[in-house]
Amino acid sequence: MSEESTLILSPSPGDMARAAGLLRRGEPVAFPTETVYGLGADARSGPAVARVYAAKGRPAFNPLIAHVPDVETARELVIWTPMADKLARAFWPGPLTLVLPLREGHGIASLVTAGLETLAVRVPAHPTAQALLRAFGGPLAAPSANPSGRISPTTAAHVLAGLDGDIAALIDDGACAVGLESTIVGLIDKTLRLLRPGGLAAEPIEAVIGRPLQQHATTDALVAPGQLLSHYAPRAAMRLNAEESRRGELLLGFGNVEGELNLSPGGDLAEAAANLFDHLHRLDQIGRPIAVARIPGHGLGAAINDRLKRAAAPRDT
Ligand code: TXA
Ligand code: MG
């Protein structure tokens, strides 16, 4: 925490103009999207983006997603293809990020791509994210608004818990409906690859493209440098596929596996996704080891299990 406190803004037009003004001066501003809260900065300004990396304590080799208000703006930044168009028409605005080769004259700061020749772009559906992008009038680089490696934020309180005093402002607009980061699909060299499972399940994407999505290997550091194994970690130790809690553990339940908290008593994966990070934040505050019930692997369960696996992975700190 630093000397200055973080300004809390509302989604009103006046506050949006204030947020846009801060962004133009190179200040990072946290804002809601339908997936998680993002920490936004002018994607065309190296110094502005550097402040995001600094606030998060993020390794500089981890590239960021450029958020834009619409397909037209995305097409100014990347080399567009018929497949990109198909996916964008089906799922934008929404929890899908596309990785495409950068287009000449893109103007994106190299710190955003961490020197790669590709760019991750996304059109968020959240009305407040849309309003901010339009008030600002340019692409916003925005990772999740949490200290690097920690649990992603799905409420303004989560953002403040990690970054209060380290960022200029936060737009508070309640809880994020999806609750998991966007699904990332790479469209490079005519191959379509699922780079990160996320808030849009693979099945509807496969229905649109008419074939299975190729999964990338998690060890392939070059393709998805952000997919560090230990990520999304609570402070406490975690154990997965638990049927009951052992001595001293807090149980995060699902379906009929009860627990201190339950991701979805009715076994609904969309509800579980929306609750995942919030429940982890809550249990982590208690400061005891966390056991998590088994989550099915289909639909959004793939992304939930991906995050849980990373949260439970061995770490250095
Ligand atoms: O839902 C989301 O995607 C949220 C909200 C704020 O939009 N953002 C988010 O950003 O999750 P972040 O920075 O936490 O995750 C970005 C991911 C990282 O895993 C990074 O490695 C990957 O995107 N990425 C970014 N640019 C890439 C590129 N050119 N090639 C491959 N992966 C890339
Ligand atoms: Mg993140």
Side-chain angles (χ1 to χ4, degrees):
M1 218 173 351
S2 72
E3 343 53 78
E4 302 211 30
S5 63
T6 296
L7 181 67
I8 315 281
L9 300 171
S10 77
S12 70
D15 274 6
M16 262 342 115
R18 264 178 103 177
L22 288 166
L23 288 165
R24 272 181 217 114
R25 272 177 293 182
E27 298 283 353
V29 174
F31 65 99
T33 82
E34 70 278 22
T35 59
V36 300
Y37 273 75
L39 182 58
D42 184 348
R44 298 158 304 187
S45 160
V49 176
R51 296 179 77 160
V52 167
Y53 281 97
K56 282 181 64 78
R58 183 171 193 153
F61 52 78
N62 201 347
L64 308 178
I65 298 169
H67 295 67
V68 294
D70 48 41
V71 177
E72 291 66 45
T73 316
R75 293 182 68 157
E76 292 166 10
L77 304 177
V78 289
I79 300 173
W80 205 240
T81 65
M83 186 54 90
D85 210 56
K86 211 168 172 176
L87 288 170
R89 277 172 198 280
F91 302 115
W92 277 357
L96 173 69
T97 293
L98 299 177
V99 174
L100 290 152
L102 275 165
R103 187 177 151 169
E104 206 174 319
H106 54 78
I108 297 292
S110 62
L111 205 48
V112 172
T113 58
L116 297 173
E117 277 162 21
T118 55
L119 179 69
V121 275
R122 153 161 140 78
V123 176
H126 197 296
T128 301
Q130 279 283 335
L132 181 66
L133 285 166
R134 291 184 194 279
F136 176 62
L140 288 178
S144 50
N146 54 290
S148 191
R150 291 288 169 198
I151 305 167
S152 290
T154 57
T155 66
H158 296 164
V159 177
L160 287 179
L163 298 174
D164 193 11
D166 295 331
I167 57 175
L170 156 67
I171 303 167
D172 182 354
D173 198 6
C176 304
V178 176
L180 283 177
E181 296 88 345
S182 60
T183 299
I184 307 183
V185 171
L187 297 111
I188 295 156
D189 300 331
K190 301 206 160 74
T191 343
L192 245 86
R193 295 214 264 182
L194 180 64
L195 300 180
R196 176 177 75 181
L200 175 64
E203 291 88 339
I205 301 176
E206 290 173 338
V208 165
I209 64 178
R211 56 188 148 102
L213 262 177
Q214 208 176 306
Q215 308 257 340
H216 94 97
T218 35
T219 47
D220 192 347
L222 256 171
V223 177
Q227 294 296 76
L228 302 173
L229 188 59
S230 170
H231 210 90
Y232 310 99
R235 287 174 184 81
M238 280 190 55
R239 182 170 71 85
L240 307 184
N241 301 320
E243 269 147 34
E244 59 203 2
S245 60
R246 294 178 189 159
R247 213 190 160 89
E249 280 180 342
L250 298 165
L251 180 61
L252 178 56
F254 178 80
N256 53 21
V257 177
E258 309 269 355
E260 268 67 29
L261 293 173
N262 193 313
L263 288 171
S264 171
D268 179 66
L269 289 168
E271 185 188 18
N275 284 331
L276 179 68
F277 292 136
D278 185 61
H279 284 9
L280 285 175
H281 272 281
R282 284 170 198 265
L283 292 179
D284 200 27
Q285 272 160 17
I286 303 172
R288 277 159 51 192
I290 301 168
V292 188
R294 184 183 303 278
I295 311 292
H298 63 266
L300 290 178
I304 296 173
N305 281 311
D306 172 79
R307 302 304 188 274
L308 287 172
K309 218 167 70 193
R310 287 170 205 286
R315 36 198 126 111
D316 307 328
T317 50

